[in-house]
């Protein structure tokens, strides 16, 4: 942390201040709980490969990807009461696209696109290697006591919509068809890219590496499977539609919790 040694300012991320309370995020561990709409899809293998940086390779299911629409509540050890003191800082939604890949034979998913609606998760994404951008995420809210909507059941429908700067970018939906178990969910290990350009030489990044997060205590609650639909919309500013035509193969809606304790650097492009 910046507080080490005799440096007078404190904090985990900018802004660094005398008290260290103003950092956008706290140091890990970070704790999460949320509900997730996940839509698995198939696309052209060559197009998928173009978005996966070496030394990552094609995964065991080339051309497979997923879109997640989660709604999270998240706090840190440093501020465990954040969800009570300031709920708006602790609850957020996001939408991200992941592509099946592998690293040294270990399968996982690379994340080329992700949008979020809160500044602290934007910065936390940069620290981890998620390429987060700001957007607005809308999700269907099921509720057992709403006569016109109802809860999780066969025939229930949920939709996720990502809007960025007035453009609709991603839309995904699911119709619940059966109760499922955590074993039915695709196993997800994220491979991420941390990148920070130098201010004096754009051709030589200060940080450029492949990373993976360290996750502990993953737990799953209610899990449902169903039929999914997925659309990526063309945009002059977003490139997610460059993935081409996608075909939703299945979908899941589930609850989960976990803790991220930090991460590890798997490969450095700068040799540091």
């Amino acid at each position: 942390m910046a507080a080490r040694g005799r440096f007078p300012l404190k904090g985990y991320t900018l802004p660094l201040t005398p008290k260290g309370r103003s950092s956008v995020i706290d140091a890990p561990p970070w704790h999460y709980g949320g509900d997730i709409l996940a839509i698995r899809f198939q696309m052209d293998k060559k197009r998928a490969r173009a978005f996966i940086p070496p030394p990552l390779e094609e995964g065991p299911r080339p051309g497979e990807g997923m879109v997640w629409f989660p709604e999270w509540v998240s706090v840190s050890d440093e501020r465990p009461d954040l969800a009570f003191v300031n709920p708006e800082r602790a609850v957020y939604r996001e939408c991200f696209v992941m592509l099946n890949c592998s690293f040294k034979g270990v399968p996982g998913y690379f994340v080329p696109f992700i949008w979020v609606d809160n500044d602290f998760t934007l910065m936390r994404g940069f620290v981890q290697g998620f390429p987060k951008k700001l957007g607005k995420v809308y999700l269907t809210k099921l509720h057992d006591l709403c006569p016109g909507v109802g809860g999780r059941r066969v025939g229930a429908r949920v939709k996720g919509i990502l809007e960025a700067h007035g453009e609709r970018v991603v839309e995904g939906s699911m119709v619940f068809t059966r109760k499922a178990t955590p074993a039915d969910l695709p196993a997800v290990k994220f491979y991420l890219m941390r990148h920070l350009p130098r201010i004096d030489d754009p051709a030589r990044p200060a940080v450029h590496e492949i990373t993976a997060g360290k996750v502990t205590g993953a737990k799953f609650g209610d899990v449902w499977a169903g039929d999914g639909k997925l659309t990526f919309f063309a945009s002059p500013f977003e490139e997610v539609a460059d993935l081409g035509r996608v075909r939703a193969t299945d979908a899941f809606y589930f609850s989960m919790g976990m803790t991220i304790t930090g991460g590890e650097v798997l490969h450095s492009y700068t040799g540091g």
Side-chain angles (χ1 to χ4, degrees):
M1 289 189 184
R4 289 177 180 171
R6 302 183 65 182
F7 189 77
L9 302 180
K10 304 174 184 178
Y12 180 63
T13 60
L14 295 175
L16 305 181
T17 59
K19 293 181 179 178
R21 284 200 320 231
S22 297
S23 292
V24 179
I25 58 171
D26 304 321
W30 305 309
H31 309 290
Y32 301 74
D35 298 320
I36 301 170
L37 167 62
I39 303 164
R40 186 156 53 175
F41 64 86
Q42 195 68 37
M43 60 172 288
D44 180 79
K45 298 176 184 178
K46 290 184 178 180
R47 283 181 180 260
R49 188 68 186 88
F51 282 84
I52 298 172
L56 299 179
E57 300 176 328
E58 285 186 341
R61 298 177 300 280
E64 182 193 276
M66 276 197 295
V67 170
W68 273 17
F69 286 96
E71 181 177 58
W72 297 112
V73 55
S74 180
V75 300
S76 66
D77 273 4
E78 194 169 331
R79 301 184 203 234
D81 58 349
L82 182 65
F84 171 75
V85 174
N86 194 326
E88 200 162 337
R89 293 179 185 269
V91 179
Y92 66 96
R93 292 174 174 176
E94 56 189 357
C95 169
F96 57 99
V97 180
M98 60 185 92
L99 301 175
N100 189 245
C101 68
S102 67
F103 179 76
K104 294 184 177 180
V106 180
Y109 289 88
F110 179 70
V111 179
F113 302 107
I114 179 169
W115 294 262
V116 299
D117 63 4
N118 189 302
D119 66 347
F120 93 90
T121 186
L122 181 80
M123 177 60 74
R124 192 164 64 185
F126 294 161
V127 170
Q128 295 175 88
F130 286 99
K132 295 190 175 184
K133 301 174 73 172
L134 287 176
K136 294 181 179 179
V137 181
Y138 307 97
L139 282 167
T140 301
K141 186 73 171 180
L142 298 175
H143 200 288
D144 288 320
L145 299 183
C146 178
V149 177
R152 303 180 191 185
R153 68 194 189 286
V154 172
R157 298 181 299 167
V158 293
K159 179 180 286 187
I161 297 170
L162 165 70
E163 175 189 292
H165 303 287
E167 292 187 315
R168 183 165 296 199
V169 181
V170 181
E171 180 177 307
S173 62
M174 168 185 167
V175 178
F176 289 36
T177 59
R178 64 181 177 88
K179 194 74 181 291
T181 70
D184 296 314
L185 296 172
V188 173
K189 176 181 177 65
F190 291 127
Y191 292 117
L192 308 171
M193 180 185 290
R194 282 167 39 94
H195 183 272
L196 179 67
R198 291 177 63 95
I199 193 65
D200 58 339
D201 185 356
R204 293 189 303 123
V207 176
H208 194 192
E209 56 197 22
I210 297 292
T211 64
K214 293 183 177 180
V215 179
T216 63
K219 296 181 180 179
F220 296 88
D222 204 24
V223 180
W224 284 81
D227 299 326
K229 291 184 178 180
L230 183 64
T231 304
F232 297 145
F233 296 90
S235 162
F237 304 101
E238 309 289 354
E239 296 178 58
V240 65
D242 288 358
L243 292 172
R245 186 175 180 179
V246 297
R247 177 177 58 86
T249 56
D250 52 15
F252 300 92
Y253 192 88
F254 59 98
S255 300
M256 73 169 296
M258 62 180 177
T259 295
I260 294 180
T261 60
E264 58 181 330
V265 177
L266 303 178
H267 173 80
S268 174
Y269 295 98
T270 60

